[in-house]
Amino acid sequence: STLMMTGNTNLSSALSVVGNSVTVQDLLTWGETRKGQITTAQNAYETAVADDETNGTNNADGKTWIDYDSNYS
């Protein structure tokens, strides 16, 4: 067993299992969580850029929101 999908899986609800006991709802929850993490990182980056402008610093130079996302891999 390779645990790889070998065919189509019928999904009838958010409780449908898509593989390895993972449900559609699990994936939706993960997606919402990840979206929130990205938004938080984007806001942190924008705050850092604004702080640089206010303080005359350059701490955010050369960075993007990804640098502020501890969950990015």
Side-chain angles (χ1 to χ4, degrees), residues 6-55:
T6 58
N8 292 330
T9 300
N10 292 326
L11 304 175
S12 59
S13 76
L15 298 178
S16 294
V17 175
V18 295
N20 296 334
S21 300
V22 175
T23 65
V24 171
Q25 185 60 56
D26 294 332
L27 297 173
L28 292 170
T29 300
W30 176 86
E32 284 299 313
T33 298
R34 186 67 187 117
K35 184 174 82 171
Q37 292 166 343
I38 291 169
T39 299
T40 297
Q42 290 171 328
N43 291 338
Y45 170 70
E46 290 171 7
T47 298
V49 169
D51 286 347
D52 279 352
E53 291 172 1
T54 300
N55 301 322

Side-chain angles (χ1 to χ4, degrees), residues 45 49 58-68:
Y45 170 70
V49 169
N58 60 353
N59 297 322
D61 282 359
K63 295 183 179 179
T64 69
W65 67 268
I66 293 171
D67 296 295
Y68 296 87

